[in-house]
Amino acid sequence: MEGNLLTGEIPTIPSTLRYLSLRGNQLRGNLNELRESRNLSYIYLNRNQFTGPIPNIQLWPNLIYLDVSYNRLTGKCVSIKPLSSSCSISF
């Protein structure tokens, strides 16, 4: 669903989803909808219009890649537990 100029807020994400790519759209709002999607391993939300705090990545114990760059997120990255060397994060 990337690069389709989708608008509005992030939709409800199935709790079993592991890969989410909504980059390059015009989505807005905060990222609270993702709190229930604990199985996510790859999250690509860069180049949208999301606002609010940077998400606590400890919500996703299986996280391998997170990109929320080029949004309007605020605050600091919440304390990060030791991550595996294969985990990459872009803010």
Side-chain angles (χ1 to χ4, degrees), residues 1-35:
M1 301 297 290
E2 62 187 67
N4 287 302
L5 301 177
L6 298 174
T7 60
E9 296 188 1
I10 197 164
T12 301
I13 304 298
S15 61
T16 56
L17 193 69
R18 296 184 46 85
Y19 182 98
L20 175 64
S21 180
L22 293 171
R23 64 182 153 198
N25 287 291
Q26 296 177 5
L27 296 170
R28 59 181 162 65
N30 61 46
L31 300 179
N32 286 335
E33 275 301 322
L34 297 179
R35 286 187 296 187

Side-chain angles (χ1 to χ4, degrees), residues 56-86:
N56 179 349
I57 65 166
Q58 292 180 353
L59 294 172
W60 307 295
N62 301 315
L63 186 65
I64 295 171
Y65 191 90
L66 171 65
D67 190 344
V68 291
S69 60
Y70 298 98
N71 283 287
R72 297 178 191 156
L73 299 174
T74 59
K76 296 181 180 182
C77 185
V78 174
S79 177
I80 300 172
K81 66 182 179 180
L83 299 171
S84 75
S85 59
S86 64

Side-chain angles (χ1 to χ4, degrees), residues 29-42:
N30 61 46
L31 300 179
N32 286 335
E33 275 301 322
L34 297 179
R35 286 187 296 187
E36 303 302 319
S37 302
R38 299 183 55 81
N39 288 318
L40 287 170
S41 296
Y42 297 88

